[in-house]
Amino acid sequence: DTGVSQDPRHKITKRGQNVTFRCDPISEHNRLYWYRQTLGQGPEFLTYFQNEAQLEKSRLLSDRFSAERPKGSFSTLEIQRTEQGDSAMYLCASSSGQGSYEQYFGPGTRLTVT
Amino acid sequence: GESVGLHLPTLSVQEGDNSIINCAYSNSASDYFIWYKQESGKGPQFIIDIRSNMDKRQGQRVTVLLNKTVKHLSLQIAATQPGDSAVYFCAENLGGYNKLIFGAGTRLAVHP
């Protein structure tokens, strides 16, 4: 499968715990995005990487959230001290950035904070 | 299981009919628009896109129309099939890093 992959697909955690999600973009895509989606809503932009550089962060990304893309390939999104309001689907997307604006989405990680 | 678009507006059509899904976008400076299809428990799947210098683009069984005057986008699906049942989102790009702003979504229900 050469699409965007995310791990884990589902995560249940207790309030206050830390969680980390991983995204593997399509090979050679230099642009990587994280979005958050709650039930009944469209995805909301969280942050964007071009190669290893994090170039934009949404105001939705509080200090408890941190994202990295250390080698310009896979990315991780960590949420510290989770809150029930963090429960959502976390989606990763990638694009080639070469004359194409298409973003290809992964299957998402469904986070449930109890 | 979970349901994407729990409280979204629903368009119900008969199998074989044509479907038209509408979307109003927010920013007149947006230069690129995409339609995505999302099935329950899955990530959004690219359907078709259009740049702001065009007003119509056709794909396989799908057509996107862009009316910049009223900031309106529509997706037409010909000969709708049961496999088309999903939630459909339009998204706009405000330029720069191609950050996408998604609309509210519409659930398409196809009945045999």
Side-chain angles (χ1 to χ4, degrees), chain A residues 9 31 33 35 37 39-43 45 48 55-56 89 99 101-103 105-107 110, chain B residues 2-3 5-6 8 32 36 38 41-44 46 49 51 89 93 97-100 102-103:
Chain A
R9 294 292 309 278
R31 297 185 179 190
Y33 308 79
Y35 291 82
Q37 186 177 27
L39 281 176
Q41 303 294 321
F45 171 80
Y48 158 72
L55 298 183
E56 187 172 354
M89 174 80 85
Y101 290 175
E102 292 178 27
Q103 291 186 23
F105 282 82
R110 165 64 65 186
Chain B
E2 68 184 49
S3 174
L6 204 56
L8 293 173
Y32 174 71
Y36 283 96
Q38 189 173 27
K42 297 183 179 180
F46 173 88
D49 59 358
R51 297 188 184 233
F89 292 100
N93 167 40
Y97 299 123
N98 311 129
K99 174 178 64 178
L100 294 176
F102 282 78

Side-chain angles (χ1 to χ4, degrees), chain B residues 50 57 60 68 70 72 76 79-80 91 96:
Chain B
I50 187 169
R57 189 163 188 227
Q60 186 177 16
K68 293 182 288 294
V70 294
H72 183 269
Q76 300 177 1
T80 314

Side-chain angles (χ1 to χ4, degrees), chain A residues 62-81:
Chain A
S62 76
D63 291 345
R64 298 184 296 104
F65 288 70
S66 62
E68 295 182 342
R69 194 183 183 197
K71 299 182 180 178
S73 56
F74 73 92
S75 175
T76 58
L77 177 68
E78 181 183 16
I79 308 174
Q80 297 182 328
R81 304 181 303 282

